[in-house]
Amino acid sequence: MKIVVCIKQVPDTNEVRIDPKTGTLIREGVPSIINHDDKNALEEALQLKDKYEDVHITVLTMGPPQADVALRESLAMGADRAILVSDRAFAGSDTWATAKTLTAAVKKIGDYDIIFCGRQAIDGDTAQVGPQLAEDLGLPQITYVTHLEIEGNKVKAHRALEDGYEVLTTEMPCLLTTIKELNEPRYSSVRGIFEAYKEKTVEMWNAKDIAISLEETGLNSSPTNVRQTFTPSPKGQGMILEGNGRDTVSELLFKLSEKHLI
Amino acid sequence: MNFNLTKEQEMVKTLMREFAEKEVKPIAADIDEEERFPRETVEKMARYAMMGIPFPKELGGAGGDTLSYIIAVEELSRVCGTTGVILSAHTSLGAHPIYQYGTEEQKEKYLKPLAEGKYLGAFGLTEPNAGTDAACQQTIAVLEGNHYVIDGSKVFITNGGESDIYIIFAMTDKAKGTRGISAFIVEKDFPGFSIGKIENKMGIRGSSTSELIFENCIVPKENLLGQEGKGFGIAMQTLDGGRIGIAAQALGIAQGALDECTKYMKERKQFGKPLAAFQGLQWMYADMATKVQAARFLVYNAAMKKDQKLPFATEAAMAKLFASETAMEVTTNAVQIHGGYGYIREYPIERMMRDAKITEIYEGTSQVQKMVIAANLLK
């Protein structure tokens, strides 16, 4: 079984601070990590590798050269191959252009049965790239996977819903997006860390390598663009009305109509 | 002098920090209170190749270096001094002498499972009457045909009773003094070998410290480590390396106490302002932070010297002397900064202070380190 896991290197914080003047992320002093949901994706691939023979895992990321560290960590956890798709031409890509770029990279990889993506990245929070990649590759997809079984050439997955889950089956090749309920990611092993740096390599692919035209990637090929990013101003103080039911209800109605809310 | 970590070492540090926070810290207070050896942590460390970091992959290790191993001990000790010393005694004292002095057969049979973490290792040199004066060994080993017969006892043995393999020192020729001491690899199930009293200690209470008893203990001849009569040198050189491990343990304990102070001084308010705003405490804190960083440079420097195959005995003694005294001073001041909360068991600070004290004592007291440093520099 050949598996591709798409990961993203993100700043290690759930409270991404934004420079109010420039509207950009403040990355200084914030260590970079593998996006949480993507670690669940990699863990699921590694568990398949533990369970079945002849499983080969390729980890793929699109990012700046520093994303090398995230790929080395994936190798240290047990992945077999790591590819960094990196080119100045990719800068400013939105999810559409990112998916197009990853599609070109996956086509170059060629042979695969399952593509795993984390549900969404903690920095962008769009949850779009996985599904877009499936569409671009013409693959069936199951999102929000919380449980997975392989049955012959099919996968059977639990897909989380707000109030339960549905059980879906699809043929491979397919694309699955994973959430944290799926598994508990393992640590890297210390031996894995030294192998990742001394014995394994991270392949670097640029735009030319994956044969993507500049009309499909980068800022100018991105249909969405960010006008402004800002931290919402804190909400005002709440108000608690006290007294008997009748009085407080009429006071509530008065306050609401005063603010033109009703 | 360059103290920048390599990418591998940085990643080991990040891994060990995460492992320590998630797997070690949550049970640190309990294993101390209950004097319980954290077997589950040792098994987890084995799973992630943390039990043989500086040994080659072919010998079951992680294929790493001394500094990475030292960083691992530091990060574990930052949250739990017990776990730090279990790894340090196992790696430096139990496994390393076999790596350095063992035959190919001994490495295959003993080092491999030690480095893989299938076996735990320990080192038995100290006796009731041979502490700092380690040459005064009374345990004897007599060659009888194809085996040695060992009689005597050892005390204060870290990982004693929990280990599978013990590096044991005994007199094979009393008349020759230190040149009559030999080293042996003893399996826990060898006939005539038993575990005596388990000590009830002030600190590192989750680690096992025991007496080892040898009564007509039969040790196969091929388990002699190195040559007959070379045991004292093996012990001393092993302790040179072990001291970097204990220095790293002390460094980690000191850093852990400092981190607790950083948090507490910002949170705790008295007279309407946080402790961090009082200059008297700022000065105390600044001294603590400075000494911890100085200790780190000494410890890393000794580890790097060892990795570069340069002489490191003086550097290791300096690192252990300074780091252990820093750990004692920093944890004592950390208790002071925490006031009453520093003295009670709901906070980790008093445990850190109890754990720190032993680092000034074992693998050579502070006074012995000074003897080593002066002897090396004045020769």
Side-chain angles (χ1 to χ4, degrees):
Chain A
M1 192 191 304
K2 294 226 177 347
I3 300 175
V4 175
V5 182
C6 298
I7 66 164
K8 184 179 184 184
Q9 190 186 45
V10 293
D12 182 11
T13 172
N14 289 313
E15 296 168 42
V16 177
R17 287 181 307 140
I18 291 168
D19 185 328
K21 283 181 194 151
T22 61
T24 53
L25 298 178
I26 302 171
R27 304 242 7 198
E28 277 167 29
V30 182
S32 294
I33 56 164
I34 297 175
N35 181 51
H36 296 308
D37 288 345
D38 304 352
K39 251 193 174 171
N40 296 106
L42 177 56
E43 174 61 29
E44 198 61 18
L46 292 167
Q47 287 187 12
L48 291 176
K49 189 175 168 164
D50 293 341
K51 197 167 166 189
Y52 300 104
E53 284 186 8
D54 291 330
V55 174
H56 184 276
I57 302 170
T58 300
V59 181
L60 173 67
T61 195
M62 168 178 153
Q66 305 88 279
D68 179 86
V69 178
L71 290 170
R72 300 278 177 188
E73 189 182 342
S74 305
L75 292 169
M77 284 172 73
D80 301 292
R81 184 186 183 194
I83 300 166
L84 172 56
V85 182
S86 191
D87 199 307
R88 282 184 181 278
F90 303 153
S93 290
D94 67 357
T95 62
W96 173 276
T98 300
K100 293 282 179 207
T101 311
L102 289 174
T103 298
V106 170
K107 283 182 176 165
K108 184 175 159 81
I109 292 169
D111 193 14
Y112 54 86
D113 301 292
I114 302 176
I115 299 175
F116 281 107
C117 296
R119 170 190 47 181
Q120 67 194 50
I122 56 171
D123 56 353
D125 264 343
T126 67
Q128 291 170 353
V129 172
Q132 286 171 331
L133 179 59
E135 289 300 313
D136 286 343
L137 289 163
L139 295 176
Q141 58 174 296
I142 304 175
T143 50
Y144 310 113
V145 172
T146 58
H147 176 78
L148 182 68
E149 285 166 44
I150 306 289
E151 293 174 349
N153 69 334
K154 290 183 176 162
V155 301
K156 188 165 118 185
H158 291 188
R159 176 174 188 267
L161 303 171
E162 242 174 72
D163 51 357
Y165 63 87
E166 55 189 3
V167 181
L168 299 171
T169 303
T170 186
E171 280 188 10
M172 295 188 273
C174 61
L175 185 144
L176 308 172
T177 79
T178 58
I179 60 179
K180 69 169 187 293
E181 288 75 11
L182 178 60
N183 54 41
E184 183 64 38
R186 68 195 62 191
Y187 298 100
S188 310
S189 86
V190 178
R191 188 180 299 123
I193 290 172
F194 285 95
E195 285 172 350
Y197 279 99
K198 287 181 180 167
E199 295 171 24
K200 295 183 179 171
T201 53
V202 168
E203 295 168 52
M204 293 278 278
W205 290 357
N206 61 22
K208 210 170 141 195
D209 294 324
I210 59 172
I212 190 165
S213 84
L214 298 184
E215 275 95 64
E216 288 182 289
T217 188
L219 185 63
N220 293 333
S221 310
S222 296
T224 58
N225 55 63
V226 179
R227 287 287 176 84
Q228 194 195 350
T229 52
F230 60 94
T231 309
S233 52
K235 288 179 186 164
Q237 286 278 319
M239 183 187 290
I240 295 172
L241 303 174
E242 285 176 34
N244 66 44
R246 182 175 293 275
D247 291 350
T248 49
V249 167
S250 43
E251 197 183 344
L252 175 66
L253 289 171
F254 175 74
K255 295 267 182 205
L256 291 175
S257 63
E258 196 182 49
K259 290 184 182 290
H260 306 289
L261 291 168
I262 52 172
Chain B
M1 206 174 286
N2 179 5
F3 287 111
N4 291 336
L5 301 182
T6 63
K7 287 174 179 171
E8 297 95 304
Q9 289 158 350
E10 285 283 0
M11 200 175 277
V12 170
K13 191 175 179 78
T14 307
L15 165 68
M16 294 311 304
R17 173 70 59 102
E18 191 187 349
F19 181 86
E21 287 287 331
K22 284 193 190 158
E23 311 291 336
V24 181
K25 190 176 179 177
I27 60 167
D30 289 344
I31 61 171
D32 171 73
E33 189 73 30
E34 298 159 13
E35 293 186 276
R36 183 175 71 77
F37 185 84
R39 180 58 65 179
E40 70 273 33
T41 306
V42 173
E43 283 166 10
K44 284 177 196 165
M45 291 200 289
R47 195 177 313 152
Y48 295 107
M50 297 167 181
M51 297 298 283
I53 295 175
F55 308 116
K57 269 173 38 172
E58 312 80 77
L59 294 172
D65 49 24
T66 307
L67 184 52
S68 296
Y69 151 61
I70 285 308
I71 288 168
V73 174
E74 177 192 351
E75 288 298 330
L76 294 171
S77 305
R78 187 177 153 272
V79 299
C80 175
T82 281
T83 310
V85 75
I86 291 170
L87 181 64
S88 180
H90 164 82
T91 310
S92 288
L93 303 186
H96 196 270
I98 304 176
Y99 174 60
Q100 188 149 2
Y101 302 100
T103 62
E104 291 311 309
E105 293 74 24
Q106 288 170 340
K107 287 179 188 172
E108 191 63 33
K109 189 172 178 187
Y110 296 116
L111 177 59
K112 217 168 174 180
L114 282 166
E116 286 169 349
K118 289 178 184 151
Y119 287 172
L120 191 68
F123 175 92
L125 175 69
T126 300
E127 297 184 358
N129 294 314
T132 293
D133 184 9
C136 190
Q137 295 281 306
Q138 284 173 3
T139 298
I140 53 165
V142 179
L143 184 61
E144 290 181 5
N146 281 330
H147 58 257
Y148 286 90
V149 178
I150 300 186
D151 279 285
S153 67
K154 300 287 171 182
V155 290
F156 302 150
I157 305 307
T158 306
N159 291 347
E162 298 290 341
S163 285
D164 304 278
I165 299 298
Y166 296 80
I167 307 299
I168 297 301
F169 297 86
M171 280 284 184
T172 40
D173 190 344
K174 271 214 144 170
K176 288 187 181 165
T178 55
R179 282 191 291 274
I181 297 172
S182 302
F184 300 90
I185 304 170
V186 176
E187 296 180 27
K188 66 173 181 193
D189 295 325
F190 278 176
F193 174 39
S194 61
I195 303 300
K197 187 179 166 212
I198 310 278
E199 303 295 345
N200 182 357
K201 305 184 295 293
M202 173 198 268
I204 54 164
R205 286 166 56 81
S207 84
S208 174
T209 305
S210 86
E211 193 181 2
L212 309 179
I213 297 165
F214 302 89
E215 287 170 314
N216 290 323
C217 174
I218 307 292
V219 177
K221 201 177 165 187
E222 62 266 24
N223 280 35
L224 175 72
L225 181 63
Q227 291 168 324
E228 209 176 89
K230 299 284 188 189
F232 194 70
I234 292 174
M236 292 302 112
Q237 285 178 34
T238 299
L239 286 171
D240 284 341
R243 277 166 195 155
I244 314 178
I246 298 307
Q249 184 205 15
L251 168 63
I253 294 170
Q255 182 68 55
L258 185 68
D259 290 347
E260 290 297 325
C261 289
T262 308
K263 205 164 60 180
Y264 189 77
M265 286 176 70
K266 289 179 186 172
E267 285 168 6
R268 171 76 169 168
K269 282 189 179 149
Q270 290 287 276
F271 303 102
K273 50 184 183 177
L275 298 191
F278 291 90
Q279 195 180 47
L281 297 182
Q282 286 174 359
W283 286 27
M284 209 162 143
Y285 176 86
D287 281 340
M288 290 156 72
T290 304
K291 285 189 180 172
V292 171
Q293 186 68 330
R296 178 168 293 111
F297 286 164
L298 282 173
V299 176
Y300 286 14
N301 176 49
M304 285 171 167
K305 284 267 175 359
K306 185 165 192 295
D307 279 331
Q308 291 160 9
K309 311 233 180 304
L310 295 169
F312 64 91
T314 310
E315 286 79 2
M318 287 174 169
K320 196 212 172 241
L321 171 66
F322 189 81
S324 62
E325 297 201 336
T326 295
M328 201 60 237
E329 184 183 324
V330 166
T331 54
T332 305
N333 286 340
V335 169
Q336 193 67 22
I337 285 171
H338 280 70
Y341 293 107
Y343 198 70
I344 60 174
R345 297 216 166 173
E346 274 171 59
Y347 282 71
I349 292 297
E350 63 83 30
R351 168 168 52 86
M352 292 170 167
M353 183 176 165
R354 286 186 287 108
D355 285 354
K357 183 63 206 175
I358 190 61
T359 65
E360 292 181 320
I361 299 171
Y362 59 14
E363 297 195 35
T365 59
S366 289
Q367 290 68 33
V368 164
Q369 308 310 324
K370 290 179 188 181
M371 283 162 57
V372 170
I373 295 163
N376 286 349
L377 296 181
L378 295 172
K379 75 179 155 189

